[in-house]
Amino acid sequence: MESTEALHSQSKPLFSTKQVAEARLTAAQTRRSVVEVLEEQSGLSTESFVHALSSLLHYRVLVMSDLHRLTSAFDVLPFSLAMERECLALRDQDEQLILVICDPFNVRLQAWAEQHINAGFSWALAHRSDILAYLSHHEESLNAMDDLSAVEEHVGGDDDGVEDLSFKAISEAASPVVKLVQSTVYDALKAEASDIHLETSPSGLVIKYRIDGVLTTVASMAGLAMADQVISRIKVISSLDIAERRVPQDGRFKVSMRGHEVDLRVSIMPSSFGEDAVLRVLDKQTVTDQKKSLRLDYLGFDAKSLAVMRKLSKEPYGMVLVTGPTGSGKTTTLYAAISEINHGLDKIITIEDPVEYQLPGVLQIPVNEKKGLTFARGLRSILRHDPDKIMVGEIRDSETAQIAVQSALTGHLVFTTVHANNVFDVIGRFMHMGVDPYSFVSALNGILAQRLVRVNCTNCVTDDHPDAELIAESGLTPEQVQGMTFRTGRGCGRCRGTGFKGRKAISEILALNEEIRELIIARQPLRLIKEAARRNGTHFLRESALALVANGETTLQEINRVTLIA
C-alpha cells in the first residue's frame, strides 16, 4: 500500500482558484465553512477530497491509520480544546510536534494556534470525520482515567448508598466512585459496547469494553482498594450482597440514557486478586426502534440459509434450535423469525432470562429463579395458556429439554437455543441430557448454528493481498484462493480506525430428513451424519465464512478468529 506522502506527491490540483472563490461566496451566504462547501461541490470521497485539498494548498496529509501511528500530545493541546477547535496535536517518532487541522481556510484557528501553542510545530491536514473519530476513541480512556484519578485521591470514602443512575447527574455526583461507574457505563453505551468488563488485576482495576465482539482495553489504574470500591458500587446498585466475596453473584440494574431505559445484567465473579464484574448491555429499544432490522433478511444470512430458516419457522409444529456461543446473535435470530410469522393469528409466548427486546403482540415472561420461576416451571405454565408458538430462551437442563420436546410433539412450534459449537454437537447435548433419541429427532425440524463476524468498513475498504503464510495458516491452497476478491479496511473516522464497521451472521443449517433421523436414532458415527447432511444441502460455518472473504466483505484474519480452521 502506498504511503500518504507518496499519494500526496502524485496528486495534481483538482481545485481551481475560481472554485475556491465560489465556495467562499457560498459559505458566506449559507453560514457554513469553506471546506464543507468545497467538499460538497467536489463529489469526491473523503480521502480523495483531502488529497486534492492538500495538493492545492501544499499540506501534509494524514489518514486515520497515520493518526493512530503517531503519539497524542494532549499535554500541549488539551483534549477539551482539541474537541472545541476540531484539531489535534501529535508527535512523530522523532518527538516533532504536528498540528492536524481539517479546515485550512480557517485563519482564526491558525492564528490562535500560533499564539497559544508554546512549541514549534508543523501543519498537517486530515478529514474532519477522522479527527473527531480519533478524539472520540481517546475520550473513553481520558474520561475513565480522569475519574480513576479522582477515586485514587478519595479512596476510602463513604458510598452514597443505593440510588438510581442518571447520566444527567454524572457531573453532580458527590462520590468519585459513583461518578466513575456512571461515566464508565455512559462511555460504553456511547461506544455501542455490548459488554463492560471491570477486572481486578494484581495492581488494581482494568476497564474493557466489548465492541463488535472484540474486547478493547479502555483504562487501567493502580490500587486494589479502589478496585474493591468500584466492584462494591456495582453490587449495591445491582442489589447484591456486598459482604459475600467468595461465590459468584448475578444481578441487574437499570439506567436512563437519551430518553429511554437500558438494562444491564451483572455477573460478579471471585478472582485471585478480589472480584471481577461483567455488565451485559441489554437495550430493549435498539431493535424495537428499528423494526426493519427485526427480519431474517436484515441479519446477513446468505440466501440459501435464509430460505431454509424461513421454511422451518413456518412449520405448524416441531422444534427449531439455534446454537452458538454467548453473544453470537441467537436471541436476535429467534426474535426475527418470530416477528416474521407474527401476524396476529397465533398465540405466541416466550420465556426468557432476561427479556432482551420487546416484541409487540407477544407475551414475554422473564425467568425469576429467586421466586421459583424457572424455565421448566414457566414452560409447564405456558402450555396451559393455549399457545401456538413458544420460544424458550435457553435449554439448560434435562427437565426443560424434556418438556420442550414434548411440547413440539404435541402440536406446538417451539423455538429455543442451546450452547454448542455446531449443529452436530447439539445432538450430543440432548442425548447427554437423557432425552429419548426417537422423541428428539421426531420433534426436531432443524438446527441453525451461527457466528457474527466483523465486516470491512465500506468507507475505507481497499484491495488486499494476503501473503502465502496467512493463506496456508487459513487452511487454503494457492489454487483455492484464485478468483477470490480480498479486501480490507485501512481504518477511518467512521470505523474508529479499526477497519471494520458492523457485523454479519454466518451460519450452518441442518434441516432434518428421514435419512438423517434414522442415522441419529441408530447412533451412527458423526462422519456419516455429516455426509448425509452435505447431501441434503448443508454447508458448514467455515464455508459460509470463506464465502464472505471471497466477496471482499471481511478478512481471513477475522474468520480465523471466529471459526475453526478445518
Side-chain angles (χ1 to χ4, degrees):
M1 188 185 301
E2 293 182 297
S3 66
T4 53
E5 286 81 0
L7 286 168
H8 175 237
S9 64
Q10 295 169 7
S11 300
K12 295 181 179 179
L14 295 179
F15 300 123
S16 65
T17 53
K18 182 180 178 181
Q19 285 177 297
V20 175
E22 291 174 351
R24 287 185 186 276
L25 182 62
T26 304
Q29 293 171 344
T30 58
R31 296 184 179 180
R32 297 157 68 196
S33 67
V34 177
V35 71
E36 184 182 354
V37 172
L38 200 59
E39 181 175 11
E40 184 181 278
Q41 293 177 347
S42 72
L44 298 171
S45 66
T46 56
E47 188 171 341
S48 299
F49 171 74
V50 173
H51 282 292
L53 202 58
S54 73
S55 180
L56 175 69
L57 302 173
H58 306 291
Y59 274 82
R60 175 187 178 185
V61 174
L62 297 177
V63 296
M64 195 66 179
S65 56
D66 298 323
L67 298 182
H68 283 295
R69 277 198 296 268
L70 300 173
T71 306
S72 57
F74 291 119
D75 55 323
V76 175
L77 182 64
F79 180 83
S80 57
L81 285 176
M83 285 290 289
E84 179 186 343
R85 305 215 172 237
E86 297 183 349
C87 58
L88 287 174
L90 303 172
R91 289 188 178 92
D92 61 18
Q93 61 272 21
D94 299 322
E95 292 297 311
Q96 298 298 310
L97 196 64
I98 304 169
L99 188 68
V100 188
I101 60 174
C102 60
D103 187 355
F105 302 105
N106 189 340
V107 292
R108 290 185 179 179
L109 172 62
Q110 295 177 16
W112 176 87
E114 296 282 2
Q115 183 177 356
H116 288 84
I117 297 180
N118 299 319
F121 63 87
S122 60
W123 296 93
L125 188 64
H127 195 271
R128 180 174 181 268
S129 64
D130 286 352
I131 291 177
L132 293 180
Y134 181 91
L135 289 170
S136 177
H137 176 78
H138 283 268
E139 180 183 15
E140 300 160 5
S141 176
L142 289 167
N143 282 357
M145 288 305 296
D146 288 344
D147 291 328
L148 286 167
S149 299
V151 174
E152 187 180 40
E153 294 172 7
H154 293 82
V155 68
D158 294 332
D159 188 82
D160 282 352
V162 180
E163 58 185 25
D164 291 333
L165 290 182
S166 171
F167 293 113
K168 299 176 183 178
I170 289 178
S171 60
E172 301 172 1
S175 166
V177 175
V178 173
K179 186 176 181 180
L180 170 61
V181 173
Q182 289 179 326
S183 61
T184 298
V185 175
Y186 179 85
D187 289 339
L189 294 178
K190 185 177 177 183
E192 299 181 352
S194 61
D195 300 85
I196 305 165
H197 290 240
L198 302 170
E199 301 175 356
T200 303
S201 69
S203 58
L205 183 71
V206 179
I207 301 175
K208 300 177 181 178
Y209 298 158
R210 187 179 293 279
I211 301 174
D212 280 344
V214 177
L215 275 179
T216 301
T217 300
V218 173
S220 59
M221 185 66 183
L224 286 173
M226 177 273 298
D228 289 342
Q229 283 210 0
V230 171
I231 300 298
S232 294
R233 176 61 188 169
I234 297 294
K235 286 182 177 180
V236 167
I237 58 181
S238 305
S239 302
L240 300 177
D241 186 353
I242 300 178
E244 181 57 72
R245 297 167 53 86
R246 297 164 296 178
V247 298
Q249 297 188 66
D250 296 315
R252 63 193 64 189
F253 66 94
K254 188 176 293 185
V255 296
S256 175
M257 182 178 180
R258 296 172 185 168
H260 71 269
E261 292 181 340
V262 178
D263 288 335
L264 290 105
R265 187 173 64 196
V266 178
S267 172
I268 305 291
M269 193 71 66
S271 71
S272 302
F273 311 105
E275 292 176 291
D276 287 9
V278 174
L279 283 58
R280 166 62 58 90
V281 178
L282 302 171
D283 188 349
K284 295 182 180 180
Q285 282 193 271
T286 299
V287 176
T288 307
D289 291 344
Q290 302 173 2
K291 292 181 181 178
K292 281 188 177 180
S293 66
L294 204 56
R295 290 177 54 85
L296 289 168
D297 49 343
Y298 284 90
L299 300 183
F301 293 115
D302 61 88
K304 190 172 182 180
S305 296
L306 183 63
V308 176
M309 187 62 186
R310 279 183 167 155
K311 180 178 181 297
L312 295 175
S313 302
K314 293 175 181 177
E315 297 288 356
Y317 54 83
M319 178 184 288
V320 179
L321 279 167
V322 179
T323 186
T326 302
S328 60
K330 300 187 298 294
T331 304
T332 303
T333 297
L334 289 184
Y335 280 163
I338 289 172
S339 294
E340 288 194 0
I341 62 173
N342 183 16
H343 305 301
L345 302 177
D346 296 316
K347 181 73 171 183
I348 303 176
I349 307 177
T350 75
I351 180 163
E352 309 168 55
D353 183 23
V355 174
E356 295 191 14
Y357 307 125
Q358 303 290 348
L359 298 175
V362 176
L363 173 57
Q364 295 175 269
I365 305 167
V367 164
N368 190 336
E369 293 189 358
K370 291 181 180 178
K371 299 294 185 181
L373 180 54
T374 62
F375 276 115
R377 184 175 178 181
L379 187 50
R380 281 199 190 92
S381 299
I382 286 172
L383 293 173
R384 296 192 291 269
H385 210 71
D386 189 28
D388 296 294
K389 311 285 193 295
I390 301 169
M391 172 183 152
V392 182
E394 183 184 344
I395 291 183
R396 299 174 179 171
D397 53 61
S398 175
E399 187 180 6
T400 308
Q402 297 278 6
I403 302 170
V405 168
Q406 290 303 315
S407 302
L409 289 171
T410 53
H412 304 92
L413 182 61
V414 178
F415 296 90
T416 188
T417 73
V418 66
H419 285 289
N421 290 324
N422 54 59
V423 294
F424 304 101
D425 288 348
V426 171
I427 300 168
R429 285 294 306 276
F430 273 79
M431 299 300 105
H432 286 301
M433 287 182 189
V435 177
D436 175 57
Y438 184 82
S439 299
F440 175 60
V441 298
S442 298
L444 187 61
N445 293 342
I447 309 169
L448 170 74
Q450 70 177 65
R451 301 288 190 276
L452 295 176
V453 297
R454 294 181 296 171
V455 293
N456 293 325
C457 173
T458 56
N459 188 58
C460 64
V461 68
T462 185
D463 290 339
D464 189 26
H465 304 285
D467 55 35
E469 184 180 356
L470 176 58
I471 290 171
E473 288 176 355
S474 304
L476 300 171
T477 64
E479 292 75 21
Q480 287 176 306
V481 300
Q482 288 182 359
M484 284 189 175
T485 305
F486 291 105
R487 310 201 78 195
T488 186
R490 287 180 298 177
C492 67
R494 291 186 187 176
C495 63
R496 303 165 63 84
T498 64
F500 297 100
K501 183 67 175 176
R503 292 190 289 176
K504 195 169 186 178
I506 57 171
S507 64
E508 63 184 21
I509 189 161
L510 175 66
L512 270 72
N513 59 15
E514 291 307 315
E515 180 187 8
I516 296 174
R517 286 190 170 95
E518 289 173 2
L519 290 171
I520 295 173
I521 293 171
R523 297 182 181 270
Q524 292 296 312
L526 186 59
R527 175 181 56 83
L528 297 179
I529 300 175
K530 284 186 176 181
E531 290 173 359
R534 189 178 287 281
R535 289 195 298 271
N536 194 38
T538 297
H539 61 275
F540 304 124
L541 276 171
R542 184 69 178 179
E543 295 168 357
S544 181
L546 284 170
L548 287 185
V549 175
N551 292 335
E553 295 184 64
T554 190
T555 64
L556 282 175
Q557 293 93 329
E558 175 64 8
I559 68 164
N560 290 346
R561 181 185 69 85
V562 175
T563 63
L564 192 65
I565 299 173

